[in-house]
Amino acid sequence: MGKYTLIITEKPDAAQRIASALDANGKTSKKEDNGVPYYVAKRDREIVVVPAIGHLYTVTGERSERNYYPVFNFKWVPRYAAERGAKQIRVWLETISKLAKDADMFIDACDYDIEGSIIGYCILKYACGNKESVSKRMKYSTLTKEELEKSYAELLPHLDFALIEAGRTRHEVDWLYGVNLSRALTIAARDWSGKYATLSTGRVQGPTLRFLIAREKAIRSFVPTPYWEIKAEIEIDGTTFEAEYEKDIIETKSEANAILNECKGKDGEVEKIEVKQFQQLPPTPFDLGALQSEAYSLFGYTPMRTSDIAQRLYLDALISYPRTSSQKLPPTINYEEILKNLGKAPEYKKLTAELLAKPELKPKEGKKDDPAHPAIYPTGNLPERVLSDQERNLWDLVVRRFMAVFEEPAIRQSMKVHINVNGHRFYLRGRRILKEGWMRFYGPYVRSEEVLLPPIKEGQKVNVKKVILEDKFTKPPPRYNPGSLLKRMEEEGIGTKATRADIIQTLYDRKYIRDERMVVTDLGFEVMEVLKQYCPTVVSVKLTKELEEKMDKIQLNNEKRENILVDAVEILKPAIEELKEKEKLIGEQLSNAIKRARLEERTIGTCPICNSGKLMILYSRKTGKRFIGCTNYFKKLCSASFPLPQRGTVRPLGKNCRGCGWPTVQVKLKGRRPWNLCFNPKCPIKEERMKKIEMSNLQQKSSG
Ligand SMILES: [Zn+2]
Ligand SMILES: [Zn+2]
């Protein structure tokens, strides 16, 4: 090969797409060097496209020891030099360096955002030999052939150094926080107990845990107060409707009873009918956060999963770049072309034709913008392979949202019928859609219930069939779930669209929280106690937000990286000194919490056989197999013992079996949905599942 152009991408799939888009014949040859793939495209000159696999470089301490803190001096190194298990990176970088030698032109084609920019920059600077200053930049938001061709024809003359600076700063600041605070906690606990457990906290992780703890405290200290609710069943033209009483909360039982007695057996009269019409505007185009929340509430996908699926769809050139905070769709993306192409799919044929027949296509847009990418939209390409159910759901959601934003508002009508029953007022509410507008396009994802009322006139008498009194209790505030927590982080302005989902996952991994409806564990509480007590500045939501805002300014060239690093060290230094000084105290506090957490993980509940011991998950000394045993066994007071499935993870569920009242456990096998298990062999509602488990245990026994 002679001299050629070297293009760097962030992922292998993107490399292949770019190579085949740029090849004159649309055919690219895949090569491999030491297992590292790269692609060769031929046109007026030869092009070699080599992918990264995400970040190949990372921040690390200037010295290599891991067991001390504080550390304020850092450097960028290949990941294999800083992380265990990153061996593959070495070979990868060798291949890139080799390919760079014979290249005479360099193009960074990594994703156009903070993360992508820093990935491309490090490779060009370190692996290609200081090519960051001569490299050109490809900017695109979809991996379609047309857009890739165009972005290659209109190369940006240099890298986006403001984005790179912003990326460097984030990684460096996050490293300073993460490494110092996590080491302080981990070392304190280890030196006290002699046992190792990873404890971590970070710049965003701490404040996020704080929201969860505030909510957890509100839930635990919540005292439900009783109140009463009154409803009436009202019959109109042979159909029964439920009407609500004018006061939705009645505070005393005597008042409720009085109302009930006065209404019993009385007829009602329609006193007034209020009809309101209102417009419901189409939704705005998806940015990543909105897509994550919508997918969580519609399909139950965690933000992390949605972001992974969206990434897949992007690499398949089905949707545009998902890590965007824009709610805008510029006309340059060519609405007509996208709709025409989508119309080739039978399920979108009619709807797209309707949109295309409009005199003008103008999307409803939101306020948020992103300098690098538009909102998430479908490219118009149809899948070239069979999509998984999850991929199809998300793609359909993006397509329908895209169509919906071009449509008219929906027109809805609400009706409130005032019914007088012996001087008491009841309301009957109706809701209907007069004009569907965009809702027809968003289809299955519209959440709106219609309640149709029959024709009704003022002065009309109606039959009150029944007046119902219900005892109620006020409810504690709801628990966060991955969707609502992500929203809260966004609202508070902490973290970035690229990192929020990972931070939530880390809280689970560290066992600070559990369950989908998030419960903070004792360990989570304890870590926060320590941080709040000894270094409140690092878990301050306000300070975190301020730092976040300053970092955003770097992207716009309004702030300097150096200033922010100085700020960060100024916040951290006193905090870490305090942690160091109180190391013993903190170590004791944390070690005890870890010990309790480990015990808590294994304790299932009170033993139903002896009623005094605790049932625990134990391991047989002889066979190594796990089972459930009673703590009274060791005092020779109880011999209760029950088998457990040997595969997967088992944890106490904290709930008792509906059938027999025994405590239960949750079993989770990798890649499968967890299920709840009652291990009582005599349980009356024992499900088929238990039999299946026994079967699989038997099979295991007979095969092993
Ligand atoms: Zn027992
Ligand atoms: Zn049971």
Side-chain angles (χ1 to χ4, degrees), residues 335-348:
Y335 316 137
E336 286 84 4
E337 199 60 31
I338 294 171
L339 290 170
K340 258 185 224 159
N341 288 329
L342 287 173
K344 290 174 192 155
E347 66 266 41
Y348 306 132

Side-chain angles (χ1 to χ4, degrees), residues 607-615 630-633 637-640:
C607 172
I609 305 293
C610 65
N611 280 318
S612 68
K614 288 257 182 275
L615 289 184
C630 177
T631 45
N632 274 346
Y633 174 82
L637 292 173
C638 179
S639 61

Side-chain angles (χ1 to χ4, degrees), residues 355-482:
L355 288 171
L356 287 165
K358 280 171 171 281
E360 191 200 12
L361 284 169
K362 203 171 175 303
K364 162 100 168 19
E365 294 182 322
K367 280 196 195 116
K368 288 204 270 172
D369 206 351
D370 186 310
H373 297 279
I376 303 169
Y377 63 92
T379 60
N381 284 4
L382 301 184
E384 291 161 12
R385 61 181 174 90
V386 179
L387 299 183
S388 72
D389 286 352
Q390 295 187 341
E391 289 167 338
R392 175 147 295 271
N393 283 343
L394 210 67
W395 182 58
D396 186 57
L397 179 63
V398 170
V399 170
R400 288 182 178 277
R401 181 76 155 221
F402 178 74
M403 294 191 292
V405 303
F406 291 103
E407 257 301 316
E408 315 281 311
I411 298 175
R412 306 179 67 169
Q413 187 193 59
S414 75
M415 207 180 187
K416 187 174 173 190
V417 182
H418 300 234
I419 296 168
N420 187 328
V421 182
N422 196 20
H424 292 280
R425 222 146 271 104
F426 286 83
Y427 300 133
L428 198 57
R429 289 177 199 273
R431 277 191 301 273
R432 59 195 287 208
I433 296 164
L434 298 179
K435 201 180 127 209
E436 280 188 298
W438 62 271
M439 290 183 172
R440 210 155 41 86
F441 290 77
Y442 206 37
Y445 310 125
V446 176
R447 276 149 291 179
S448 106
E449 239 178 273
E450 289 208 297
V451 183
L452 300 175
L453 300 179
I456 204 166
K457 281 196 303 272
E458 285 180 9
Q460 186 175 335
K461 294 263 186 292
V462 292
N463 175 22
V464 180
K465 281 176 73 180
K466 212 197 262 173
V467 184
I468 306 154
L469 177 65
E470 279 176 5
D471 297 6
K472 297 263 172 159
F473 282 96
T474 52
K475 285 205 182 70
R479 292 193 175 282
Y480 281 109
N481 59 48

Side-chain angles (χ1 to χ4, degrees), residues 656-664 678-680 682-686:
N656 291 350
C657 171
R658 282 179 295 125
C660 63
W662 283 31
T664 52
C678 172
F679 49 84
N680 177 2
K682 290 184 186 124
C683 177
I685 60 157
K686 190 143 241 196

